Amino acid sequence: MACVRPARGSRREEHYLLLKDAETGEEIGKLAEGYGLASILIHGGIAYVFASRREEDGWHDVTLFRSEDLRTWTSQVVIRGENEQIFNTSVCKGPDGFVMAYESNDPRYPPFTIKFARSDDLRRWTKLPRATFGTNRYTACPCIRYVGGYYYVLYLERRAPRHVFQTYITR
């Protein structure tokens, strides 16, 4: 899956998700016009794509696109932004269901802060309001995984004064 995201000044419809066969490079399909910053999880033979909606004023909510055949998709909003924009997402399976890490520009914290949500079925999500990471610094582009009894989050930190981003991992 590729997130097609043109440079600044682009129109909403220029943002979409593109599915390609990993071995042949052949295009399988295009979905989610007006969405990006997405992640995908295959579970039980079903594709679950989580993406943020692009509007004139920024990125909003997290929408789930679900398909059993990669051609027919259903969608529903699963996380609503509250006085914030929502950017990159990542989802993994843990011992008690699924966990989502998502990037927020919540004005209470430095941009960007990583927030978390939990689900039993990948369709209904509960925000974990006391589970935040990066409330004291820029932490962006989360990638969450569960390995050996622990959750790990890879993320970017902005290193000032230069405009450099370094990848870190936390457990």
Side-chain angles (χ1 to χ4, degrees):
M1 182 182 75
C3 298
V4 176
R5 181 179 170 204
R8 280 196 151 106
S10 61
R11 295 184 320 272
R12 182 182 186 277
E13 58 271 11
E14 293 178 282
H15 296 258
Y16 60 91
L17 306 178
L18 184 62
L19 299 175
K20 289 186 175 184
D21 184 294
E23 291 179 5
T24 67
E26 180 182 338
E27 186 176 310
I28 297 170
K30 177 180 167 181
L31 69 138
E33 183 179 291
Y35 290 79
L37 307 173
S39 62
I40 187 169
L41 177 74
I42 308 297
H43 179 71
I46 299 171
Y48 295 86
V49 173
F50 299 89
S52 295
R53 185 182 78 251
R54 175 76 175 138
E55 295 291 344
E56 295 274 332
D57 64 341
W59 297 93
H60 299 275
D61 306 323
V62 176
T63 299
L64 164 63
F65 295 88
R66 182 181 178 278
S67 178
E68 295 180 22
D69 61 8
L70 301 180
R71 287 170 180 69
T72 306
W73 295 87
T74 60
S75 66
Q76 70 185 75
V77 174
V78 293
I79 300 285
R80 294 206 183 273
E82 297 172 25
N83 192 32
E84 65 189 330
Q85 292 185 52
I86 296 178
F87 304 89
N88 296 288
T89 62
S90 181
V91 175
C92 75
K93 186 173 186 337
D96 299 317
F98 301 89
V99 175
M100 177 190 296
Y102 61 97
E103 177 183 355
S104 164
N105 73 346
D106 185 328
R108 296 177 296 173
Y109 310 113
F112 292 88
T113 300
I114 299 170
K115 294 184 175 184
F116 299 89
R118 189 186 169 293
S119 174
D120 291 326
D121 61 6
L122 293 165
R123 293 182 184 189
R124 293 179 302 266
W125 289 85
T126 302
K127 292 180 182 181
L128 304 173
R130 293 190 329 222
T132 55
F133 178 73
T135 58
N136 61 345
R137 64 190 179 283
Y138 180 110
T139 56
C141 304
C143 176
I144 190 166
R145 297 294 180 259
Y146 183 82
V147 179
Y150 294 97
Y151 287 97
Y152 294 88
V153 177
L154 291 123
Y155 65 97
L156 297 181
E157 277 194 24
R158 181 170 182 262
R159 309 311 298 167
R162 297 179 9 215
H163 202 70
V164 174
F165 298 88
Q166 291 180 324
T167 302
Y168 288 82
I169 188 167
T170 188
R171 182 173 81 176

